[in-house]
Amino acid sequence: MEQELMMWSKYLNCERSVLIAPAGHGKTTAIAECLNLCPEDTCHLVLTHTHAGIASLKKKFKERNIAPSKYQLETIDGFAQRYVIAFLGMSVLPSYQDKEYFSVAVKKCTEILQFSTVQKIIELSFNGVFVDEYQDCTISQHNMIMALAQNMPLHILGDPLQGIFDFEKEGVIDFERDLPELFFKRFNMLNIPWRWAKTNPCLGDIILTWRDKLQTKVNSMELTNYPDKHLYVEIAPEHDNDFDTYYIKWRNSIINKYETANTLILCPSYIGRDEYGNEVRKGDINDRLKFKLRFDFKHQYVLLDALDGKTYYDKSKKVDDYIALCKKSLRADKLYHFRDLLESLYVNKEFINTWIKKEKRKPAHFLKKRKLEEQTQSNKLQDLYDSYITAPSINSLFLVLGCVINMQGYKSQRADFMNDILRCMFLAIEYQISVTEAMCRQRSQIRHIGRKIGGKCIGTTLLTKGLEFDTVILKLFKLI
């Protein structure tokens, strides 16, 4: 124990330290151990890339009873955004929907970190900086971190073999080139795969074997089935007739066979071809939604999306646009676009067609005739919609959508997404802002505090890195 403390003290007391270790070897725990060694009156800035990473770090800190006053935990992009807005205002940044938003924020933050006044604030706020998952830093993020920590200790953790980001315009950092040993001291003291030590140590050993092969840059690697070690490799049997349909049925049976209450299904991201032969990126949110619809008939799985995914902002703006349209359009147009709004919010089309008329003309009642036992629900929704049409507002539409999700037979392809929209509408009402602005605020808050992910999920490596599940199902076959 004493030797371990000396080891972490040595790492912590180094002005520029780099800790390299494989996945599952305790890099996140190492940050917690270091914070435990820091004096009570100190505060360190802890940066990572993903909100899943924030959730993982928070869990480790809580397990070790580390006082929140000893750290400030943020994503790199979230930190950059916060400082830019604080010192330069929001006008210097593009809109949230712009794909270059955070790239601009990082570069602007690097500029203001050159000011002596900002450096003084940094020095008074923090005693040092930890950066987790450093292998995923872009060159711009690396430059920002160097500017941030120019007058205080910097502790870097990462693994070059765990890079998961793919940047087209600028590459990620290279440990040898960008973290030269002349200026950064290397530490390699994590040698045990702790993540599997108690539950399945053999699995940890197998993964290390794979890692060794990857380091030697082998051209191919055979995945072996180890049922006794809870590692299963399933290969779809060949089938002559209608393989796509057969494969989908086979794949669904595999999911049903292995899923548990805490399951992650990882979908691959890859470059494919569209119907015209053009290269397109596959495995995005739409591809994962199609995949979900082909097996998750009980709607048990949550479809994970990037926190700053364009979908969130597009759909919240669609709500604002519908309210604006209803303030000046005919009732028939309002009804037509209401159906469109529900579909865009991933409400099941079958449910919409069951309850709501399709006519574009001006119907006295927009709901279809229902059975006697459902008439109370129908009348309530009709009254709420009539009130909304009379005085369109976020408040009245919030009541309409709230009624919709409680209707008999309500189904949604993404129930979590509708809940997010309703939360943002509630915030918009409370603070007298647009739904789009409320969504921006909510995303910024989650960016700072992290988000909890668990249960049955469908995601990508990027969206779930740093989290732990009881069961992980990795799809190596392309999305069909």
Side-chain angles (χ1 to χ4, degrees), residues 280-345:
V280 292
R281 181 169 291 281
K282 304 294 289 183
D284 62 7
I285 188 66
N286 293 321
D287 283 337
R288 297 198 300 276
L289 179 57
K290 291 176 185 176
F291 165 58
K292 179 181 187 296
L293 294 176
R294 285 176 169 170
F295 84 93
D296 187 26
F297 306 118
K298 296 181 180 179
H299 304 284
Q300 295 178 316
Y301 280 79
V302 174
L303 189 63
L304 302 181
D305 195 3
L307 183 64
D308 299 306
K310 193 171 180 287
T311 304
Y312 288 99
Y313 303 113
D314 287 347
K315 303 303 186 184
S316 55
K317 186 176 185 302
K318 196 170 184 69
V319 175
D320 288 326
D321 289 346
Y322 177 64
I323 295 170
L325 176 143
C326 289
K327 290 180 179 179
K328 58 183 179 181
S329 297
L330 298 173
R331 180 183 175 95
D333 288 335
K334 297 173 186 178
L335 174 57
Y336 175 77
H337 287 287
F338 180 63
R339 289 180 57 93
D340 181 54
L341 176 67
L342 291 180
E343 286 187 25
S344 73
L345 298 180

Side-chain angles (χ1 to χ4, degrees), residues 28-29 31-32 35 46 48 50-68 71-74 132 445-452 466-467:
T28 303
T29 302
I31 298 176
L35 289 177
V46 183
T48 187
T50 67
H51 306 93
I54 285 183
S56 179
L57 284 161
K58 275 194 169 184
K59 181 182 177 182
K60 293 293 192 299
F61 296 167
K62 188 175 181 180
E63 288 172 352
R64 283 157 179 77
N65 296 315
I66 298 173
Y71 64 88
Q72 182 166 308
L73 179 58
E74 296 186 65
D132 199 12
Q445 182 184 33
I446 298 174
R447 197 175 297 117
H448 180 68
I449 66 175
R451 61 175 174 177
K452 186 177 180 181
L467 296 183

Side-chain angles (χ1 to χ4, degrees), residues 263-279:
T263 296
L264 169 65
I265 299 177
L266 283 176
C267 293
S269 177
Y270 60 96
I271 301 298
R273 299 274 179 181
D274 62 16
E275 56 185 315
Y276 305 105
N278 301 315
E279 284 192 351

Side-chain angles (χ1 to χ4, degrees), residues 328-372:
K328 58 183 179 181
S329 297
L330 298 173
R331 180 183 175 95
D333 288 335
K334 297 173 186 178
L335 174 57
Y336 175 77
H337 287 287
F338 180 63
R339 289 180 57 93
D340 181 54
L341 176 67
L342 291 180
E343 286 187 25
S344 73
L345 298 180
Y346 300 104
V347 177
N348 186 278
K349 284 186 180 181
E350 182 182 351
F351 168 81
I352 296 173
N353 292 333
T354 298
W355 285 90
I356 302 174
K357 295 177 180 178
K358 290 184 178 181
E359 297 96 303
K360 281 194 70 173
R361 297 179 181 178
K362 185 177 179 181
H365 297 281
F366 80 100
L367 294 174
K368 293 182 177 180
K369 291 184 179 181
R370 305 301 301 162
K371 298 176 183 177
L372 183 62

